[in-house]
Amino acid sequence: MQFVDLKRQLEHLRPAIERRINDVLEHGKFILGPEVQELELLLAEYCGVGHAVGVGNGTDALVLALMANEVGPGDAVFTSAFSFFASAEAISLVGATPVFVDIDAETYNIHPPALVDSIAAVMDEGRLNPRAIVAVDLFGMPADYAQIDLIANQHNLFVVEDGAQSFGGQLGDLRAGSFGAIAATSFFPAKPLGCFGDGGAVFTSDDLLADRIRSLRVHGKGADKYDNIRIGLNSRLDTLQAAILLAKLEAFPDELAARRQVATGYNERLRDDFVIPEIPPGYRSAWAQYTIRPRHGTREEYRRKLAGHGVPSAIYYTKPLHLQPAFADLGGWEGQCPVAEQCAQSVFSLPMHPYLTMEEVDRVVEALLG
Ligand SMILES: *Cc1c(COP(=O)(O)O)cnc(C)c1O
């Protein structure tokens, strides 16, 4: 059994993918070819936003979102203490300072009351200028944007949605990618919508921000690429990756439904022994990961049982961001974000992908409970 089974996905989608790749080989427009724009229009429509801009990867998508808003040295950017490294790395890359905020133990997303406290602490200290919030939709479920937007408005902060794991997720009628002033996603192969290499996108309904992103992804180009009006990056979504994504996007709604079925299968049988993912009313997860923690015993015992039955498992994440060595100079300490620290010590994730059969779900459950 695979944790994420891209081979099985390829078995299903191979003819469509090969057709799309072949088109690109024929026309030869490898950089910003027609597939990129075709995909951008479909992505914007899917997410219900004005603009989607294809970029090199999810990390660059976050960096570009911050660059477009001129975030830089002296700025404090609040983000979740429990995420993939890139959520905070992007903040440091533009020269700003990440401020780590504790999470909610049920949703694994940023805890709004902790966010209020962190903003107050930065204002009291008076050293940094509170500028933005990078809210992460961890494991595929959107963060609490109603509360986050309220807090952001009170303090004149802008919100960036890190939707690297949540493409396809929903809050009410709104899709992931539509939250905040600007959103970022990743098409890394293992994400809900993945390509066959690196890729990402920035989403916004703000025309000015979208124009800036389109300039920034091509070295800060002006009227043409030899007219440079700002310092940017070389970060475009490859035409070949866009072609692959176009084929995969067609299957995506069915895949999302299949992921939901897997999650429901796990939920029904694991809730007595594990803290299962809590999806509050109105929310829909994209089920990038199915993450649980044991009610009794340690995750190591359970992971050993799984391994004994040939079932892979993984830990996202073993270390909260404020305790990462790369951020040591920010002076993070143990006890700073106790919920994130506790989750880092107890969570583990089960195989999750749309081509998992119900028999395989049964095997995972039996390996865990047996
Ligand atoms: C994967 C991921 C990223 C970075 O995306 P890449 O495409 O790998 O650069 C950023 N944030 C989160 C939460 C992620 O899971």
Side-chain angles (χ1 to χ4, degrees), residues 50-124:
H51 309 272
V53 185
V55 301
N57 55 68
T59 307
D60 282 0
L62 288 168
V63 169
L64 289 162
L66 294 168
M67 286 173 85
N69 282 285
E70 295 175 318
V71 175
D75 290 338
V77 180
F78 302 86
T79 194
S80 169
F82 195 55
S83 181
F84 180 57
F85 185 63
S87 305
E89 185 184 31
I91 298 165
S92 294
L93 278 169
V94 299
T97 303
V99 177
F100 298 110
V101 181
D102 210 355
I103 57 163
D104 179 298
E106 303 296 317
T107 64
Y108 301 108
N109 284 332
I110 202 164
H111 188 49
L115 176 60
V116 171
D117 291 348
S118 293
I119 296 168
V122 168
M123 287 169 60
D124 277 351

